[in-house]
Amino acid sequence: MEIFNTKKLFGSLEQDEKSDIQIKKVTDGIMAVYIAELKAGKKLSAHYHNEGVEIYQILDGEGIIEIGKLSGDTILWDGSYEVNAGDVFEVAPKMVHRLSSHDMKDLRLIFFTTDSHLGEDRIFV
């Protein structure tokens, strides 16, 4: 068993190849744990996953999570929600989502998901 300290791990994040988010995989297994940071004023582009769920916890900062669904090649946005430190939310399979940080402070978060979520099961729209 290993114990990880997320505060210390934020110093070793890597830039995601496909988006503005910086990320680090913390654990492997059926469910993987990731820590991530979205710099102030940046946005994680709209995308979805065909399988599995993502569970997010906002550790620090403020931002907006937008959710919607695809209709052909068009995103039909269902809602936009303010997220703050301490908030937890779940993103269901096939739900289009886009996360953005406010301009003043970086958004730090931890999320739990299946291992394939950042690979072949992440479809940007």
Side-chain angles (χ1 to χ4, degrees):
M1 179 171 126
E2 286 187 72
I3 297 175
F4 300 94
N5 183 295
T6 57
K7 288 182 182 182
K8 292 177 183 175
L9 290 174
F10 274 103
S12 62
L13 297 178
E14 297 176 8
Q15 184 63 46
D16 181 59
E17 297 173 0
K18 299 179 180 179
S19 70
D20 281 340
I21 202 162
Q22 295 178 345
I23 197 162
K24 180 168 184 71
K25 187 176 185 180
V26 179
T27 66
D28 285 314
I30 296 171
M31 291 292 285
V33 175
Y34 294 86
I35 59 170
E37 183 174 71
L38 197 54
K39 295 290 185 187
K42 295 293 184 178
K43 189 177 284 191
L44 176 59
S45 300
H47 66 284
Y48 67 94
H49 310 276
N50 284 311
E51 298 180 13
V53 300
E54 287 178 298
I55 299 170
Y56 287 84
Q57 180 178 8
I58 306 300
L59 300 175
D60 193 31
E62 300 172 344
I64 296 174
I65 181 75
E66 298 169 271
I67 58 165
K69 56 185 165 279
L70 277 181
S71 177
D73 290 336
T74 303
I75 302 171
L76 303 175
W77 293 106
D78 293 330
S80 177
Y81 305 91
E82 281 282 329
V83 292
N84 300 285
D87 289 345
V88 175
F89 56 92
E90 179 178 294
V91 176
K94 300 193 187 312
M95 181 183 291
V96 177
H97 51 291
R98 177 169 59 193
L99 183 65
S100 58
S101 62
H102 288 315
D103 291 335
M104 301 303 290
K105 191 173 183 182
D106 298 343
L107 183 64
R108 288 185 163 187
L109 54 113
I110 187 169
F111 65 98
F112 309 84
T113 190
T114 58
D115 197 36
S116 65
H117 247 50
L118 293 183
E120 66 272 4
D121 193 31
R122 183 170 59 159
I123 300 99
F124 286 95
V125 290

